[in-house]
Amino acid sequence: MALETKRFVVAVYTYLTMTIGPQAGMNYLLDSTRETRIGRGEECTIALADPICSRVHAILWATDKVWRVRDAGSRNGTFVNDQKIDEAVLGDGHAIRLGSCEFSFHQSEQPPTAGSIVGAETSETIVRDTVMGDFVSGSFALSAIHDSDQAQDLLLLYQLSIKLLGCADPQEVIRESLDLLRSRTSASVVGFLWMSDDGHLKPKLVIPETAAQQVSLSESLTRLVSDEGHAVWVANQRPADKDSRLQQDFADAICVPLVQSGNVLGATHVYLEHGRFRQSDFEFAISVANIAAVALARARHEETLTSDLERLKATSPGYDELVGDCPAMRELQSKLSRLARASGCVLVRGESGTGKELVARAVHHASPRADRPMLSVNCAAIPADIMESQLFGHKAGSFTGAATDHNGYFQQADLGTLFLDEVGELTLLGQSKLLRILEGHPFLPVGASQEVQVDVRVIAATNRDLLSYVREKKFREDLYYRLSVFELVVPPLRERGQDIALLVDFFLDHFRRQHGRPGLELSAGARAKLLGYQWPGNVRQLRNVIDSAVVLALGNRIEEQDLGLQDSGSTELDSLRVDVWEQRLIVEALKRTGGNVPESAKLLGLGRATLYRKIEEYGIERR
């Protein structure tokens, strides 16, 4: 009977160990299927921060299991066993010197040991240790494609990138990345630990979920990758406590931190129960971590922005809601929905405080540009001498104080909507540039030599009679007709009938929730006083009055004295001119505050810059 001969294939590990240099003791595993470039260039597999080295100093490669080294035309030469070479065959223990760094070449049946991590939990041997960052040189995703397996891996990474672009949920980003890692590496268990606010990494997700109770992600690996920012491949992972039911033995493990802008967001763990990972598995895990880090940071940022927006809406009653059912408001809403789909300019007219910006936001949200930004600019609050710079941008050095380039509001709102409140306050030069933009022409930022082209829909608003401004040569006639392609008129609150009662209840409900007074009611006298008031400050004034009353009310009811409407006894109007009532309100506000403009601005619901301008315009004396 013939004896059966069994052949065993013994794995041979080929690696370099840095003996002299900044990373002395570091091991670099070599791949026989590709060239290994050494130098100070980013394209090198082993990158050296050594000014004496050339960009690509030397190249190592294998042919029929024989390793060779070739000098790549370096300035200072490559030395093997202190002999300068053009090309040489390498043997175990040979010394390679490049610049001020020296390596020893090794071939062994045992994996390279860069050190051990010994703790209460595990005892592990490092097979590969790679510095992580926003971009990792040496990762296969940044090197040339050598075979079909790499091409397949790059396709998988491309598909993952496309999928993660559509992920707004951080949990989904991690799950998609771990699912791909487990499928590609045939891992027994994959998991993710996230970085908590106190700086500790905590378990977030383990796949398969059935393993979550039996597997404890290695704390020693976690400490290593978070403290050093290194991706680590280890072998021979064994729990120190053999009776522990929370862990099991794993033959191989890979742990990769997710690093973005120098911050560790978390770490992925990839465990193999039997066998060994391949070099390509390690490189694939690094590439997935790089992609996931960018996607996770973006998803978290988007989640924060969404949360901030919701908080802003919660503290701003009627942020994106037009409340009203009177005939004038129904007509406004009907007209708004039709013109929102058009592309022309919109002019919103109405008294101060009627909600012109709210109407502009409603136009934007109903338009095809709803997924693009809407910027709001109060033209009256921009000083005349920098208005052109703020709207159209400037180049560094174009005027005193212009230290850097600045993108104006039109560039910032490109492809979106720009809301110009109090557009009548634009300077004549600003009006001229605005007209050119609305006619489709490019414009020049201040101090620039190259024109800028933007695609912006302009919504303008004013509480002035722009036609009278045109007659007085304060506003360009051609710009007026360009802005008023579509015109929306917001009615004053005193003409909206039962809408006042709707708004009183709307604001009362909002501010009761915001200030934590759910049981607060409005007395019959206070309600009658509110409904009988003329509201010269319109909806803005009503909102502020209700807000103040909810805070100041002592009991469970808002009484008349809590409303702060001392002049509400008379319902007769001796004038219908808005500017007359505006002047009276400013005088009264200054009287109540002893001439304090910032406090008066709060009472009136205006910006300080706007109030200063109106005081000067009306010639009001401050005492």
Side-chain angles (χ1 to χ4, degrees), residues 69 93 98 122 232 249 275 303 553 597:
V69 61
L98 308 88
T122 58
V232 176
D249 294 352
E303 190 176 54
V597 175

Side-chain angles (χ1 to χ4, degrees), residues 49 51 61 153 170 188 196 205 256 316 341-342 346-347 401 501 532 604 619:
W61 78 100
D153 283 350
S188 305
S196 64
L205 184 64
V256 187
S316 303
R341 294 187 291 270
V346 180
L347 180 62
L604 295 166

Side-chain angles (χ1 to χ4, degrees), residues 402-434:
T404 59
D405 290 351
H406 168 69
N407 287 336
Y409 292 124
F410 275 94
Q411 288 172 271
Q412 295 175 37
D414 191 21
L415 301 180
T417 303
L418 183 62
F419 174 60
L420 298 177
D421 196 10
E422 299 194 50
V423 69
E425 308 305 321
L426 276 176
T427 62
L428 290 174
L429 180 59
Q431 293 176 31
S432 177
K433 277 198 170 185
L434 176 58

Side-chain angles (χ1 to χ4, degrees), residues 338-349:
R338 294 196 303 272
L339 65 84
R341 294 187 291 270
S343 58
C345 297
V346 180
L347 180 62
V348 184
R349 293 196 297 110

Side-chain angles (χ1 to χ4, degrees), residues 522-535:
L522 193 62
S523 70
R527 181 176 291 275
K529 192 172 184 179
L530 290 170
L531 297 181
Y533 189 58
Q534 293 300 310
W535 298 110

Side-chain angles (χ1 to χ4, degrees), residues 201 221-232 255-257 264 267:
L201 286 162
L221 283 182
T222 298
R223 286 194 299 270
L224 178 66
V225 300
S226 60
D227 294 343
E228 302 295 333
H230 286 194
V232 176
C255 186
V256 187
V264 177

Side-chain angles (χ1 to χ4, degrees), residues 452-465:
V452 175
Q453 182 81 51
V454 295
D455 176 13
V456 175
R457 185 182 193 183
V458 172
I459 302 176
T462 181
N463 59 3
R464 301 292 184 184
D465 183 358

Side-chain angles (χ1 to χ4, degrees), residues 194-214:
W194 60 280
M195 180 67 74
S196 64
D197 293 337
D198 57 5
H200 293 90
L201 286 162
K202 299 180 179 180
K204 185 70 171 180
L205 184 64
V206 174
I207 298 177
E209 295 180 1
T210 54
Q213 300 301 321
Q214 288 77 35

